[in-house]
Amino acid sequence: WESASNGRSMPADVARAVEELEEIAASCSVPGVPLVGFLGDTCVSVGPEAHPEVVDLHERYREPLSKLFDSPEEAIAAAASEAAWKKGLIFAEPELITRVLRPLMDAALEGSPATTMQAIDTMLEVVPRGFNKAVAASAVASQLGIPVERIGAVGDGENDREMLLWAGRPVLVANAAPTLRDALSQRDVLSVSANDQGGVAEAIERLCF
């Protein structure tokens, strides 16, 4: 997982953390945990076929399909030679992630430049610490000269938390994760329909017209 690209790619110690997690998981008789590495426009994984959720991400959001390799070493070497590593995805059942994998990964990553995050309950992400949607949105707002008080942001998952806490007008869709609602309990939040029932359109209409 090591890359020399601009210092912002996933650090090499994340690979050691994943290896440690896999060793611990194996010793605890936890079934194999699929791991997919996202490099931006491409992704890599190990095994004979792409993970079903990667296929779903491709069909639903046009995310890239995995380039498949026979071993982690081959996947890591290919990734390092092709592009900067952006994040790693670990797929498992929600209870396994919550009770076993995330605590293990958080412990393994303590003190490293990487951290865990979840957008959906069946996917644990390993991402560079300090990089999130709020950082990106703030940079764009600064370039455009838009004050944060005039910015609305719509979210539904944990990966939206920093952005919604930063935005002047945070918006939660009806099917937002409970943990996200808890994080925004002290903010004046606009509630709209679910994200698959026109929630974003409703937010734009209510905020802008």
Side-chain angles (χ1 to χ4, degrees):
W1 290 24
E2 186 170 11
S3 173
S5 176
N6 72 23
R8 294 189 175 186
S9 57
M10 192 66 74
D13 53 2
V14 176
R16 294 192 292 273
V18 172
E19 292 172 359
E20 179 179 342
L21 179 142
E22 291 175 341
E23 291 174 3
I24 296 173
S27 67
C28 296
S29 299
V30 176
V33 180
L35 174 66
V36 178
F38 269 74
L39 288 71
D41 294 331
T42 59
C43 63
V44 297
S45 60
V46 178
E49 59 186 15
H51 190 276
E53 294 211 32
V54 174
V55 175
D56 181 65
L57 289 172
H58 171 72
E59 295 176 348
R60 186 176 304 186
Y61 303 114
R62 298 298 183 264
E63 295 280 6
L65 282 173
S66 296
K67 293 184 178 181
L68 302 173
F69 296 89
D70 293 330
S71 69
E73 292 77 16
E74 291 179 357
I76 292 169
S81 65
E82 185 170 327
W85 194 280
K86 301 297 189 262
K87 64 181 179 180
L89 306 182
I90 299 170
F91 295 99
E93 291 300 315
E95 184 176 5
L96 181 61
I97 290 177
T98 301
R99 297 183 60 183
V100 179
L101 299 179
R102 189 164 194 179
L104 288 174
M105 182 59 84
D106 285 341
L109 294 175
E110 185 174 1
S112 83
T115 187
T116 60
M117 181 270 293
Q118 276 189 273
I120 58 177
D121 59 1
T122 57
M123 183 174 69
L124 180 63
E125 302 187 34
V126 182
V127 298
R129 193 182 300 275
F131 288 82
N132 53 60
K133 293 183 180 181
V135 173
S138 178
V140 173
S142 178
Q143 290 176 3
L144 297 177
I146 302 174
V148 66
E149 294 80 11
R150 295 185 55 199
I151 295 176
V154 186
D156 65 348
E158 181 185 328
N159 61 330
D160 298 314
R161 179 180 57 202
E162 290 84 1
M163 177 181 66
L164 294 181
L165 289 170
W166 165 82
R169 195 63 195 274
V171 182
L172 283 177
V173 293
N175 56 335
T179 53
L180 183 61
R181 291 188 179 278
D182 291 342
L184 293 166
S185 61
Q186 303 302 312
R187 293 295 311 275
D188 179 18
V189 174
L190 175 64
S191 297
V192 296
S193 303
N195 58 7
D196 56 356
Q197 296 179 352
V200 174
E202 181 185 341
I204 294 173
E205 184 176 76
R206 293 175 63 179
L207 289 175
C208 301
F209 300 99

